[in-house]
DNA sequence: TTCAGGATGTACT
DNA sequence: GTACATCCTGAAC
């Protein structure tokens, strides 16, 4: 089933946890690229110094964080990489889940081409091991850039579902096993004072 | 396998 | 001008 607005319209930490094991689907040249989500982080503007919209700071960049839940927030980081987030909680409550990592489930040809400019068979062991284990890597493989900032997650082009049958594929048995969710401190936010210790990173 | 260093552009002070 | 929710390469071990 495709996740609807109600899924995103909840506490951001709950959404971040519940997204683990779900499938992010990106339509690309008429083909579904599907990634099983394995790592997420929560960012909550009203109380979190690590959030771009901390204390409701509203700028051109953070505007998307104030949008309806179920909106994609994509920003440029370090001048060359894009990071994908899902906007959560009520409209005008700036919060989102950063998508930090996943595993390829469908559209491997395109994912590999987008990521490394070559086919899956040509990838080195190192490239396979580090295929989608980072927010910039995931965006590159899915060809997501700031052009998609503000896009809806409830349409046909970009969405999340809990079963690969939703895109006409079979869900692997291993994906049906009980999930073990780990929590930890978020990555790369050393500047965020007390918020560096929040255990708002979730991973399988 | 780990580490240092560099790439690169924009948002915000 | 400074920092940034990152990633890759090459060298050392």
């Amino acid at each position: 089933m495709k996740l609807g607005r109600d899924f995103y319209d909840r506490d951001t930490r709950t959404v971040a946890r519940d997204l683990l094991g779900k499938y992010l689907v990106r339509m690309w040249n008429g083909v579904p690229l599907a990634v099983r989500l394995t790592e997420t982080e929560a960012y909550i503007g009203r109380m979190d110094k690590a959030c771009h919209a901390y204390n409701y700071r509203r700028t051109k960049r953070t505007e998307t964080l104030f949008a309806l839940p179920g909106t994609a927030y994509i920003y440029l980081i370090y001048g060359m990489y894009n990071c994908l987030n899902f906007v959560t909680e009520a409209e005008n409550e700036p919060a989102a889940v950063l998508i930090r990592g996943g595993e390829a489930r469908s559209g491997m040809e395109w994912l590999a081409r987008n990521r490394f400019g070559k086919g899956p068979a040509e990838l080195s062991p190192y490239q396979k091991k580090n295929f989608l284990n980072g927010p910039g890597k995931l965006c590159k493989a899915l060809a997501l850039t700031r052009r998609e900032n503000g896009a809806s997650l409830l349409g046909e082009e970009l969405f999340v579902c809990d079963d690969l049958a939703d895109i006409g594929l079979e869900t692997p048995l291993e994906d049906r096993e009980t999930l073990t969710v780990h929590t930890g401190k978020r990555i790369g936010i050393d500047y965020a004072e007390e918020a560096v210790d929040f255990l708002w990173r979730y991973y399988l």
Side-chain angles (χ1 to χ4, degrees), chain A residues 123-134:
Chain A
L123 299 185
S124 73
Y126 184 83
Q127 289 174 323
K128 285 182 198 167
K129 178 171 155 50
N130 299 295
F131 194 48
L132 297 175
N133 60 342

Side-chain angles (χ1 to χ4, degrees), chain A residues 144-188:
Chain A
L144 290 170
T145 67
R146 281 173 299 167
R147 236 178 16 144
E148 285 74 34
N149 179 43
S152 172
L153 296 169
L154 311 179
E156 299 300 314
E157 298 297 308
L158 185 65
F159 57 91
V160 181
C161 57
D162 59 10
D163 196 315
L164 285 178
D166 299 325
I167 54 172
L169 300 172
E170 206 171 316
T171 297
L173 280 181
E174 57 183 279
D175 287 8
R176 298 198 179 281
E177 291 173 12
T178 305
L179 303 181
T180 303
V181 177
H182 303 271
T183 61
K185 296 181 183 180
R186 293 172 292 174
I187 306 294

Side-chain angles (χ1 to χ4, degrees), chain A residues 4-5 10 14 17 28 38 40 45 53 71 90 96 100 102-103 127 132 138 143 147 150 156 163 168 171 179 199:
Chain A
R5 181 101 55 208
R10 296 182 295 158
T14 306
R17 201 182 299 114
W28 184 247
T38 57
T40 60
T71 301
R100 283 199 61 89
E103 298 167 349
Q127 289 174 323
L132 297 175
L138 199 133
R147 236 178 16 144
E156 299 300 314
D163 196 315
T171 297
L179 303 181
L199 301 178

